[in-house]
């Protein structure tokens, strides 16, 4: 599960009215891992029919 605060950061939502928003600054590595987790979830639930699904491949060494 991905924390709501991290989802907000990935979606580039404003955190001005969020009490903890100013204290949470996720690192690029954390954002990247969450992005891959979301992509893996979508990919596992996508039904390929013809050429409409493009599979994502992680770069080597990640």
């Amino acid at each position: 599960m991905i924390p709501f605060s991290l989802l907000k950061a990935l979606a580039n939502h404003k955190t001005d009215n969020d009490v903890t928003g100013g204290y949470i600054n996720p690192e690029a590595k954390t954002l990247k891992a969450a992005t891959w987790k979301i992509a893996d979830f979508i990919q596992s639930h996508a039904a390929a029919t013809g050429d409409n699904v493009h599979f994502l491949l992680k770069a080597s060494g990640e």
Side-chain angles (χ1 to χ4, degrees):
M1 180 169 227
I2 298 173
F4 185 68
S5 57
L6 192 52
L7 289 173
K8 285 176 75 171
L10 286 169
N12 203 24
H13 278 249
K14 287 177 69 174
T15 57
D16 294 341
N17 295 331
D18 190 351
V19 175
T20 59
Y23 299 102
I24 299 171
N25 294 314
E27 296 180 357
K29 184 178 178 181
T30 304
L31 292 171
K32 193 174 196 178
T35 302
W36 279 110
K37 187 180 268 193
I38 293 167
D40 290 343
F41 176 84
I42 292 170
Q43 195 163 315
S44 71
H45 289 79
T49 57
D51 293 335
N52 70 339
V53 175
H54 297 278
F55 293 96
L56 304 174
L57 301 175
K58 289 184 180 179
S60 61
E62 291 185 26

